[in-house]
Structures are given as structure tokens and as C-alpha cells.
């Protein structure tokens, strides 16, 4: 039979594959984090937690929604202790299934109200704002509301990334705050101005720099990254709106502790660390997000997160992205 | 010709009467049970949701998605065959310059993840892409859109074309020139001879390759979502992503499976008509066809396909590297990721070959409803979108073998099951060739079981084993959803590193694992072809 040599080879390779891992598993019983935020962004801060606390951490990095699906599938048998999510919607879905434990009052109180769960099951860690990036090569008169970009004067001058997730959360907020009709009319008005489609936020900001468009609807941190890369004379600036304009929606990445965690103290310490001054400063300096801890300043080029006067919206209610995608499709913003 | 077909079919019928040996049946039964895991999971999940889970099935949009999915699948069949079939023939049977190098380049794109290819295409051919700018400066102002149906078909045809190339090359290698010559000596013209002697042998192979391409396309999420073409697979992902609705996703996945099985059945009909023409016995090497003045157009065709399938992603990676600084952290992490990728891919390849051998033997030697059911289940596992398959294994492992949950064992096993059909398919041809009479002849010459194995069975199966192992290895190297969701926490591979950096637009960081991935794939294909393990 052909099986013998193959079986030997297979056994050998399986042993090789598992070599270091089986033994390592029981060693220190590390804290298990499911992170929907990418390793490129949060890897350093997680390493810093281990260094500060001595608690080893194993991270599973994947898409936030897919991790939420896995958590729902695992139920109370999840090996995860902590869920670090890119957006509040996924945390809301996991909390609704009764899988998250209530966080300590101290951890909840570290961020301004509105950036944590009213039921205390998750807390925001860092914020990202919608903004309008604009060219500095000519003097522009920017409107006071994102809603005013439907003015025909902006025809051919707008760049956007309608397939992008953050843009879609913004449209969802627009639907929630102003109603379906306003959202539809706004999208149709922008489309009437022949906006330039970009595949991603970065490309849209680069489009402004290249003079292809005058303004672009993006998240705030892309411009700061591009300035870091290209230098201070990068010909783009950005505008935040005030008076609770939906154009400055602030969304958060947040964290929750699994009810089934067998090390709730370490998990709580992890949450506390993410909201510590060190970690918050990291987010501010390295990912250019808004720190949520009071006393830690955002990048000097950014306004205070409180001063943005972001619209008053329950972030975990922004879950109906499906409806947004359908709306975008109906008006022809995406194929 | 007709006598040889008759003999062969008589031989198969005689063998078919005997019952398969029980260890074979047992192993096949275990594999079959494993392929049922995702089906049972999807059924339970859909059932769980009650009537609500059926809601997505009755949206008008769902019918559109069924049509768009089928259209994509069929167009990719046409696309991958019209690219892969000529490539296989030109690189194997003609005096194309640098044939061997082109052989490697025609197969290596298999390890380019389709989402990377799609991403590179958007970067190149979208409005303001670097290729578009170049083409426009050359005076072509109406560069067609890369988004939508046409773009998805082009990218997925390029990504899956190696399946057709590999299957066709294996069949070409088995083709006995004597049959073709016999047909011609009996007075048939060259085209008639090809129709009688070549088409029946190539058809099943091309069909099998095209089926893999087609099922890959309809289960793909990464490329179609980047190219903004909606299929059932994107709708399934939307159910998870936007509604966190696992039941609705399951019922859509069952619908997708139904389509996949329909396509498998259709391919089986085509194949059955041509199934018995496999030649056997000693072969001579076929002569090389001189291309004459077709040489340059042929070279241009091969060059263009390779440029699109491999050149565009390689140039994109080059641009990424040039456009930013690579942190040293990315380099050391890529080294560990490389080790993990290689171990997982090698483990899956070896395991797939072991599990596929009895499956392929069963299907080849004991054809019947049982064997076709087993084969179709393998195809079904292949056609389930990654996230649904991953969730099925999550639930199964947690319930049946919690100790294995999120271990490398379970990950390798899941990847193996997903791609098992590729290994089984590669063994199908060689298995048919391994006639019981050849084995009996060797026995009658005094060879023992091991001797037969060494001198007859293994040499005949070897091309299939190697091709199957290579297919699974390259597929495992680029596997993303199963790896992300089933790997032990803290385990990264080349594709997870690539994905992690690219989704944050840290392209210089993404370039390192992407380049290593392509290099590994290229080197392994080149090595196998150079050593003659894959026919060149």
C-alpha cells in the first residue's frame, strides 16, 4: 500500500508543524485578545501592555465583523478574554447576545459619556472623525455643513470613496439623524456634482494633493499620515464641522471583556491599560486618532475631540449598514 | 481505437464487480463524513433562524445574485480555458522559445491571492491608475472600467487559469501520439484525428480544471468585492458584516452550494461522454509542433497573459516597496510568517495527498452512485465561501474535539478538506491509467506487494501525487479566511501579514510578505518543473 511512506512523512510534518505550539499552550496561560483592529496599528500598544504588566497576550487578528461572528458561534466556550473592535456596531452585536461582561465603573468613567456603552458592556478606546480634506493651493470657501456640498458650485471638485466602510457609517448616521429622505437627497445632490470615485481614503487625499479634486470626504487621520510621509508642505488641510454637523461624526474603536473569560482581572487590566495615558498617547502620536482619556491631547493639528461637537448619535445604533449599502446602490453611488 | 476503448471498459467492469477493500472504504467514509461537517452546520444554522432565515432567499435581489453568480462562473470557465488551454499546449508541445520558463510563469500565478491580483488591477487600471495613465499617454483614451462584470471575469480568469494549465499539461503528458497517428493512418485528416484521438483525452482534464476555476470564482469574496461585482458570496459576507445574521448567511450559502452542485453535475455529464478513452500501456514522447511564423504571435499571447497575471501584481509590489520605508519589524515578522506558511502549506499538501489517494482510487476503480456522491461532496466543500466554512469548523471542533480548537492541527485539517478535491482531481487521470491488469502483470512476473508498489504503482501515480500536492500547497499558501479565523491566536502567516498591512494602506509593509509569497510560489513551481516532477 502506498500509505506507509506517506503516513511517515505526514506524521513527521505534523510534528514539525506543531513543534513549538503544543508545549507553549499551557505555559503561562496568556490573555487571549480577538482584535478587529490590525496588528500594524495596535500591535505595539499590546506589546507595551505585556511589558508593563507582565501578562503575556495572544492576539487573533481578523476582520471585526468576522470576529463578532466567531464570538457568537463560540458562545460561552470562547477562548477569548477580550474583544477589541474597530467599531461600536460589532461590540453592540456581541453585547446583545449577552456575551460581554459589565466593565468596571472606573474604566467606563475614563472616557466622556457618549463614547461608552450606556449599559456598561464596552468602552471606546480611540476616536476617528469624518472630515473634509481640502487643497491649500487656492483659497476655498468651505461651507459650514457637509450637507451644503450639494451646491452646483462644487461640481467636479469633490472626491469620495463610497465603497469605504467609514463613509458608509457616516451615511448610516446621516440616515439615523436626518432621515432617509435627507440622506437620499444628499447622495443624489453629490452625485449630480460628478464626484470622483476613489478606491480608498488615502487615494482620495492624494487626489486632493495632486489637484484632481478640491475636496475629499475622508477620515481625519489619513491626512496626518500623508503629511508624516511627505512633509509639512503637503498641500492639503482638513476642516471639521461644528454644531453637531453629521459631517464630523466621531466613531470609536472600542473594547469589551467576554463574560466567559477565565481571567477577568487580567482582562480588566488590559482595558485599563488601553485607557491609560501611555496607550492613549500612543494612539494620538502613532495612529493620529483622537485619544479619549481626558488630559491626553490629540495631535496639535487636530481640534479637541470635545470641541468637534460631534452629532449626538448612539454609535452602536449605526449597525444598519445593509440599508446604507442598498441606498448607495439605488442612487447609483456604488455599482 | 475502438477496440482499445472496448477492452478498457470491459476491464473496468470486471474490476467493478469486486467490492472495495475495507480499509479503503473506512478511510473514504471518514473523509466523506468530514465533508459533511459544513453541510450539516449550514443546515442547522439556517434551521435555527426559523422562517426569518429564509427571508434573504425571497428577496428579488437574490434572483439577480443567482444570475450574476452563474454568469460569473460560466464566464470564468470560458476565460480560464481560453487562456489556460493554449498556454498549456504552447508551453508543452511546441517550439515556443524559453518553453520551460514560460511553463513556470504560467503556473506560478496560482499562489497570487485573487484579492491581491484584484487590488493590483484596481491600482493599475482604475481611472488614474498607473497603467491607465500609461495607456492614455499612448493615445488609448477609452480604457474600459476595471470595475464590475468584465473586471471580475478578467481577474478571476487570470487567477484560476493555472488550474486549467496544470490539468491540461497532465493530460497532454498522458496523450499517446500513437492513437493520433493511427487515426491519421486510417485516412482521417489532421482535424479529424485531433477530434478522435486528442479531444476525448483532453476534455475531461480541461473540464476538471475549468470546474475548479468556476467554483473558485463563485465562492470568491476578496476579488469580487474589490472589483465591486456582487455575487451570492458577497451577499453572504454582507449578512455577517452588516447584519451579524448567521442564519440568513447560512441559507444563502446553501443556495450557493445548490448552484455549485448543478455546475459539478453539468461538468460530470460532459466528462462521462468522454470518460473511457484513456490510453494505457507504454507511451512515446509526442513530437514537438513547430510554430513557424506563428511563433511571434504565440509568444506575444503567452507574454501578455503572464504580464497580466504575474507582471501586474509584481510591478504593484515593486511600487509599494519604492513608495515607502519598510520597518525592520516587518522583516523579522515576515520570517516567522514564512515559517508558519510553509509548515501549514506543507502539512496540508502531504495530508491532502494521503487522503486523496484512496478517494481517487475509489472513484476511478469503483465508479457508481456512491463514488460520484463522494466526489461531489468534495466539490461542495471547495465551493463554500471561506467564512461559512470557517464557522462550520469552529462549531464542529468546539463540540466534537474542544482540545483541538484553534490548534494548528485543526487549521491544517480544515485547509486540507477545503482543497482536497484538487488533489483528488489530479490523481484521477493517473488512477484510470493504473489498470488492474498492469498490477497483475507485475505480480505474475514475481513482484511482491512492495515491489509492485515501487516499480508500478508509484511511478504511475507519481505525476498525479506531485501535481495534487503542489495544487494544495499553493492554495494553502494563499488561504486567508480559514487562516485568520482558525489559526491559534498569535500565529501569523504571509497572507495574514499582507492582509493586515494592506487594509491599513501600509503598502510598503504589505510588500514584504507579498514578495516573499510570490518568491516561494515561484521557486517551488520552478523546482518541480526543473526536476521533471511536473511534465515540462
Amino acid at each position: 500500500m502506498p500509505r506507509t511512506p506517506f503516513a511517515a512523512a505526514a506524521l513527521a510534518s505534523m510534528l514539525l508543524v506543531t513543534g513549538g505550539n503544543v508545549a507553549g499552550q499551557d505555559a503561562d496561560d496568556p490573555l487571549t485578545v480577538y482584535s478587529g483592529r490590525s496588528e500594524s496599528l495596535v500591535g505595539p500598544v499590546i506589546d507595551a501592555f505585556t511589558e508593563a504588566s507582565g501578562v503575556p497576550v495572544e492576539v487573533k487578528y481578523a476582520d471585526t465583523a468576522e470576529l463578532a461572528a466567531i464570538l457568537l458561534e463560540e458562545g460561552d466556550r470562547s477562548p477569548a478574554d477580550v474583544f477589541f473592535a474597530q467599531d461600536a456596531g460589532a461590540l453592540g452585536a456581541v453585547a446583545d447576545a449577552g456575551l460581554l461582561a459589565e466593565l468596571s465603573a472606573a474604566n467606563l468613567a475614563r472616557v466622556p459619556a457618549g463614547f461608552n456603552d450606556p449599559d456598561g458592556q464596552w468602552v471606546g478606546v480611540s476616536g476617528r472623525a469624518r472630515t473634509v480634506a481640502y487643497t491649500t493651493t487656492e483659497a476655498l470657501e468651505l461651507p459650514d455643513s457637509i450637507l451644503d456640498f450639494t451646491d452646483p458650485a462644487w461640481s467636479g471638485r469633490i472626491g469620495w470613496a463610497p465603497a469605504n466602510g467609514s463613509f458608509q457609517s457616516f451615511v448610516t448616521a446621516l440616515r439615523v439623524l436626518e432621515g432617509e429622505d435627507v440622506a437620499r437627497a444628499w447622495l443624489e445632490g453629490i452625485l449630480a456634482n460628478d464626484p470622483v470615485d476613489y478606491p480608498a481614503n488615502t487615494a482620495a487625499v492624494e487626489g486632493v494633493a495632486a489637484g484632481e479634486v478640491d475636496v475629499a470626504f475622508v477620515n481625519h487621520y489619513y491626512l496626518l499620515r500623508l503629511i508624516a510621509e511627505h512633509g509639512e508642505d503637503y498641500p492639503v488641510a482638513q476642516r471639521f464641522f461644528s454644531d453637531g454637523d453629521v459631517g464630523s461624526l466621531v466613531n470609536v474603536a472600542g473594547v469589551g471583556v467576554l463574560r466567559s473569560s477565565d481571567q477577568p482581572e487580567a482582562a480588566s487590566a488590559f482595558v485599563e491599560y488601553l485607557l491609560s495615558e501611555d496607550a492613549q498617547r500612543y494612539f494620538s502620536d502613532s495612529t493620529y486618532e483622537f485619544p479619549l482619556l481626558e488630559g491626553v491631547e490629540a495631535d496639535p493639528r487636530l481640534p479637541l475631540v470635545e470641541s468637534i461637537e460631534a452629532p449626538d448619535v448612539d454609535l452602536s445604533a449605526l449597525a444598519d449598514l445593509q440599508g446604507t449599502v442598498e441606498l448607495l446602490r439605488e442612487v447609483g453611488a456604488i455599482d | 481505437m475502438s477496440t482499445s476503448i472496448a477492452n478498457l471498459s470491459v476491464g473496468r467492469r470486471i474490476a467493478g464487480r469486486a467490492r472495495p477493500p475495507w480499509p479503503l472504504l473506512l478511510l473514504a467514509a471518514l473523509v466523506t463524513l468530514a465533508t459533511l461537517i459544513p453541510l450539516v452546520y449550514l443546515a442547522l444554522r439556517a434551521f435555527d433562524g426559523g422562517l426569518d432565515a429564509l427571508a434573504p432567499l425571497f428577496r428579488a435581489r437574490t434572483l439577480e445574485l443567482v444570475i450574476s453568480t452563474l454568469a460569473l462562473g460560466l464566464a470564468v470557465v470560458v476565460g480560464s480555458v481560453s487562456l489556460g488551454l493554449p498556454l498549456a499546449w504552447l508551453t508543452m508541445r511546441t517550439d515556443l522559445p524559453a518553453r520551460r520558463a514560460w511553463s513556470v510563469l504560467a503556473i506560478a500565478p496560482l499562489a497570487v491571492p485573487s484579492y491581491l491580483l484584484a487590488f493590483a488591477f484596481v491600482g493599475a487600471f482604475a481611472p488614474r491608475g498607473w497603467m491607465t495613465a500609461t495607456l492614455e499617454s499612448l493615445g488609448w483614451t477609452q480604457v474600459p472600467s476595471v470595475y464590475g462584470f468584465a473586471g471580475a471575469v478578467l481577474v478571476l480568469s487570470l487567477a484560476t487559469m493555472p488550474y486549467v494549465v496544470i490539468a491540461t499539461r497532465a493530460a497532454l503528458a498522458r496523450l499517446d501520439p500513437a492513437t493520433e497517428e493511427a487515426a491519421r493512418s486510417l485516412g482521417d485528416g489532421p482535424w479529424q484525428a485531433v477530434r478522435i484521438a486528442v479531444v476525448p483525452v483532453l476534455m475531461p482534464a480541461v473540464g476538471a480544471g475549468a470546474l475548479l476555476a468556476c467554483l473558485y470564482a463563485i465562492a470568491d469574496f476578496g476579488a469580487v468585492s474589490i472589483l465591486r461585482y456582487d455575487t451570492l458570496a458577497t451577499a453572504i459576507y454582507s449578512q455577517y458584516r452588516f447584519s451579524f445574521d448567521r442564519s440568513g448567511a447560512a441559507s444563502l450559502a446553501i443556495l450557493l452550494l445548490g448552484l455549485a452542485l448543478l455546475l459539478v453535475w453539468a461538468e460530470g455529464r460532459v466528462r462521462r461522454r468522454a470518460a473511457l478513452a484513456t490510453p494505457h500501456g507504454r507511451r512515446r514522447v509526442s513530437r514537438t509542433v513547430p510554430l513557424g511564423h506563428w511563433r511571434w504571435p504565440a509568444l506575444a499571447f503567452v507574454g501578455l497573459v503572464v504580464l497580466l497575471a504575474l507582471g501586474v501584481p509584481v510591478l504593484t509590489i515593486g511600487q509599494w516597496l519604492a513608495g515607502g520605508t519598510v520597518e525592520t519589524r516587518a522583516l523579522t515578522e515576515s520570517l516567522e510568517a514564512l515559517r508558519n506558511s510553509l509548515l501549514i502549506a506543507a502539512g496540508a499538501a502531504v495530508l491532502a495527498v494521503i487522503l486523496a489517494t484512496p478517494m481517487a482510487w475509489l472513484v476511478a476503480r469503483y465508479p457508481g452512485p456512491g463514488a460520484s456522491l463522494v466526489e461531489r461532496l468534495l466539490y461542495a466543500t471547495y465551493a463554500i465561501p471561506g467564512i461559512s466554512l470557517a464557522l462550520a469548523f469552529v462549531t464542529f471542533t468546539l463540540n466534537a474535539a474542544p482540545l483541538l480548537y484553534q490548534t494548528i492541527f485543526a487549521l491544517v485539517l480544515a485547509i486540507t478538506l477545503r482543497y482536497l478535491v484538487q488533489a483528488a482531481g489530479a490523481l484521477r487521470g493517473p488512477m484510470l491509467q493504473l489498470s488492474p491488469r498492469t498490477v497483475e502483470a507485475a505480480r505474475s512476473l514475481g513482484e511482491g506487494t512492495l515491489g509492485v508498489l515501487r516499480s508500478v504503482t508509484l511511478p504511475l501515480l507519481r505525476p498525479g501525487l506531485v501535481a495534487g500536492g503542489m495544487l494544495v500547497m499553493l492554495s494553502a499558501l494563499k488561504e486567508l479566511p480559514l487562516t485568520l479565523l482558525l489559526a491559534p491566536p498569535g500565529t501569523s502567516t504571509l497572507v495574514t501579514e499582507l492582509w493586515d498591512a494592506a487594509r491599513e494602506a501600509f503598502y510598503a509593509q504589505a510588500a514584504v510578505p507579498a514578495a516573499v509569497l510570490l518568491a516561494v510560489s515561484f521557486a517551488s513551481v520552478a523546482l518541480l518543473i526543473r526536476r521533471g516532477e511536473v511534465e515540462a
Side-chain angles (χ1 to χ4, degrees):
Chain A
M1 292 300 294
R3 283 205 299 267
T4 329
F6 287 119
L11 201 66
S13 69
M14 293 303 272
L15 283 174
L16 260 170
V17 169
T18 46
N21 297 10
V22 172
Q25 236 150 37
D26 309 308
D28 249 331
D29 203 12
L31 190 72
T32 302
V33 175
Y34 282 9
S35 173
R37 309 210 66 202
S38 63
E39 187 174 12
S40 332
L41 293 182
V42 303
V45 89
I46 292 176
D47 290 348
F49 165 72
T50 300
E51 209 161 290
S53 66
V55 178
V57 180
E58 292 280 25
V59 193
K60 184 178 209 39
Y61 291 102
D63 179 81
T64 294
E66 288 170 17
L67 286 174
I70 287 262
L71 284 167
L72 295 174
E73 209 64 66
E74 290 171 340
D76 54 14
R77 282 173 298 187
S78 178
D81 300 296
V82 173
F83 181 28
F84 192 2
Q86 180 74 19
D87 55 73
L91 286 163
V94 176
D96 286 347
L99 297 176
L100 294 185
E102 201 162 317
L103 297 173
S104 73
N107 273 340
L108 288 167
R110 284 166 175 263
V111 305
F115 294 123
N116 55 22
D117 177 30
D119 296 327
Q121 310 213 342
W122 56 263
V123 60
V125 169
S126 58
R128 53 184 184 276
R130 294 297 297 176
T131 174
V132 172
Y134 61 91
T135 175
T136 52
T137 51
E138 55 178 307
L140 291 181
E141 245 179 74
L142 292 167
D144 288 331
S145 167
I146 187 89
L147 298 180
D148 297 336
F149 279 98
T150 52
D151 187 324
W154 291 99
S155 182
R157 301 166 65 192
I158 300 173
W160 69 353
N164 178 269
S166 297
F167 175 78
Q168 294 177 358
S169 330
F170 153 73
V171 176
T172 312
L174 184 60
R175 290 167 56 220
V176 169
L177 288 169
E178 311 280 342
E180 296 286 337
D181 295 342
V182 174
R184 177 184 294 268
W186 182 77
L187 286 169
E188 284 169 347
I190 297 292
L191 280 169
N193 280 339
D194 290 325
V196 177
D197 269 17
Y198 287 93
N201 280 306
T202 321
V205 181
E206 284 174 332
V208 176
E212 294 165 0
V213 288
D214 288 339
V215 295
F217 305 154
V218 290
N219 278 354
H220 79 269
Y221 44 83
Y222 293 100
L223 173 61
L224 301 187
R225 269 195 213 166
L226 284 166
I227 290 175
E229 207 172 293
H230 296 284
E232 290 296 330
D233 52 357
Y234 199 67
V236 184
Q238 59 190 354
R239 157 81 186 246
F240 294 88
F241 299 101
S242 51
D243 299 329
D245 190 86
V246 65
S248 287
L249 174 75
V250 177
N251 214 328
V252 294
V255 66
V257 173
L258 275 296
R259 196 180 279 284
S260 56
S261 167
D262 54 1
Q263 10 189 358
E265 290 86 21
S268 181
F270 181 78
V271 174
E272 193 180 331
Y273 184 79
L274 290 180
L275 296 167
S276 71
E277 216 178 305
D278 286 348
Q280 292 286 306
R281 188 151 288 136
Y282 166 84
F283 287 119
S284 176
D285 293 347
S286 300
T287 69
Y288 306 111
E289 288 170 289
F290 286 105
L292 296 183
L293 179 73
E294 213 175 322
V296 177
E297 274 166 29
D299 185 281
R301 289 160 295 185
L302 295 175
L304 291 174
V305 70
E306 300 89 304
S307 74
I308 295 177
E309 295 183 58
D312 189 16
V313 57
D314 174 8
L315 293 172
S316 53
L318 299 184
D320 183 28
L321 280 176
Q322 181 76 40
T324 298
V325 170
E326 275 160 23
L327 177 63
L328 288 170
R329 194 171 277 127
E330 274 170 37
V331 299
I334 56 177
D335 298 316
Chain B
M1 182 67 194
S2 60
T3 342
S4 122
I5 290 176
N7 276 346
L8 201 79
S9 60
V10 167
R12 283 162 53 108
R13 270 193 212 116
I14 290 168
R17 264 187 220 136
R19 288 187 68 81
W22 70 265
L24 185 68
L25 274 181
L26 182 71
L27 198 52
L30 281 177
V31 175
T32 309
L33 279 179
T35 60
L36 288 175
I37 294 169
L39 304 189
V40 171
Y41 164 81
L42 289 175
L44 287 177
R45 227 356 118 232
F47 189 72
D48 244 18
L51 285 177
D52 286 348
L54 299 179
L57 297 183
F58 295 103
R59 289 185 201 137
R61 173 96 186 123
T62 303
L63 183 62
E64 287 171 37
L65 291 173
V66 167
I67 293 167
S68 69
T69 305
L70 277 177
L72 177 71
L74 295 175
V76 166
V77 166
V78 174
S80 63
V81 170
S82 45
L83 298 174
L85 186 59
L87 264 184
W89 183 73
L90 286 170
T91 55
M92 209 162 159
R93 278 302 164 81
T94 68
D95 60 351
L96 186 79
R99 224 164 42 138
R100 231 165 223 241
W102 290 119
S103 300
V104 177
L105 295 171
I107 297 176
L110 202 54
V112 179
S114 53
Y115 48 84
L116 175 61
L117 191 61
F119 200 87
F121 261 71
V122 167
F125 292 102
R128 293 170 310 282
W130 55 273
M131 245 341 211
T132 312
T134 314
L135 292 173
E136 280 171 353
S137 68
L138 293 175
W140 189 14
T141 49
Q142 295 292 313
V143 182
S145 169
V146 69
Y147 294 111
F149 180 70
V153 171
L154 178 63
V155 164
L156 284 168
S157 296
L158 288 166
T160 57
M161 156 272 288
Y163 293 130
V164 178
V165 174
I166 292 174
T168 309
R169 288 172 65 97
L172 281 173
R174 285 198 303 275
L175 201 62
D176 190 344
T179 346
E180 196 179 333
E181 282 155 22
R184 296 210 56 178
S185 72
L186 290 172
D188 289 323
W191 289 114
Q192 182 74 353
V194 164
R195 195 176 65 80
I196 293 177
V198 179
V199 171
V201 181
L202 283 194
M203 269 279 264
V206 174
L211 183 60
L212 286 181
C214 174
L215 297 182
Y216 184 99
I218 65 173
D220 175 75
F221 170 72
V224 287
S225 63
I226 291 170
L227 296 166
R228 298 193 214 148
Y229 181 71
D230 279 342
T231 62
L232 278 172
T234 59
I236 290 166
Y237 272 78
S238 298
Q239 290 293 320
Y240 293 114
R241 290 219 165 146
F242 303 146
S243 321
F244 304 102
D245 178 5
R246 289 168 297 147
S247 295
S251 58
L252 285 173
I254 291 173
L255 180 60
L256 177 58
L257 263 181
L259 289 189
L261 288 175
L262 188 75
L263 292 162
V264 173
W265 173 81
E267 190 268 342
R269 301 275 303 176
V270 176
R271 189 188 343 140
R272 203 155 308 127
R273 270 191 266 141
L276 293 178
T278 314
H280 62 282
R282 242 186 72 142
R283 284 180 284 128
R284 286 181 296 120
V285 178
S286 295
R287 71 202 153 83
T288 300
V289 178
L291 285 172
H293 50 267
W294 284 103
R295 189 183 166 122
W296 299 112
L299 204 57
F301 168 77
V302 175
L304 181 67
V305 176
V306 169
L307 176 73
L308 290 175
L310 217 49
V312 171
V314 166
L315 287 171
T316 303
I317 293 169
Q319 283 189 331
W320 287 353
L321 280 173
T325 40
V326 180
E327 291 167 23
T328 43
R329 182 179 152 122
L331 289 175
T332 50
E333 276 174 3
S334 284
L335 212 61
E336 199 202 316
L338 170 65
R339 171 182 157 270
N340 287 339
S341 280
L342 286 178
L343 290 175
I344 291 169
V350 171
L351 192 59
V353 166
I354 294 169
L355 295 181
T357 305
M359 299 295 273
W361 191 22
L362 193 77
V363 170
R365 195 58 58 72
Y366 304 97
S372 2
L373 178 70
V374 164
E375 203 178 25
R376 279 172 199 173
L377 283 172
L378 289 181
Y379 276 113
T381 316
Y382 181 68
I384 296 174
I387 181 166
S388 306
L389 197 60
L391 291 178
F393 286 121
V394 163
T395 305
F396 173 78
T397 325
L398 273 175
N399 283 297
L403 280 178
L404 285 182
Y405 187 57
Q406 291 196 359
T407 60
I408 211 100
F409 278 117
L411 173 63
V412 169
L413 197 60
I415 293 179
T416 304
L417 282 172
R418 180 170 207 196
Y419 296 111
L420 195 54
V421 73
Q422 297 182 342
L427 278 166
R428 188 200 280 155
M431 278 293 178
L432 283 172
Q433 224 174 335
L434 186 68
S435 119
R437 279 174 299 161
T438 321
V439 175
E440 278 156 29
R443 281 245 165 84
S444 72
L445 290 171
E447 290 278 12
T449 308
L450 270 179
V452 172
L453 182 67
R454 203 175 48 235
S455 59
V456 180
T457 317
L458 271 182
L460 275 174
L461 290 188
R462 193 184 171 105
L465 293 172
V466 173
M470 179 175 77
L471 275 167
V472 175
M473 189 190 81
L474 295 179
S475 295
L477 271 179
K478 66 178 176 179
E479 169 61 43
L480 181 63
L482 291 183
T483 310
L484 281 177
L485 298 180
L486 300 179
T491 311
S492 63
T493 66
L494 292 171
V495 278
T496 64
E497 296 270 303
L498 161 63
W499 173 81
D500 194 272
R503 73 174 174 144
E504 296 298 340
F506 294 132
Y507 296 121
Q509 256 59 261
V512 179
V516 176
L517 183 66
L518 293 197
V520 168
S521 139
F522 191 81
S524 49
V525 175
L527 188 74
L528 289 172
I529 287 195
R530 204 186 154 81
R531 292 190 49 200
E533 296 283 6
V534 173
E535 293 89 346

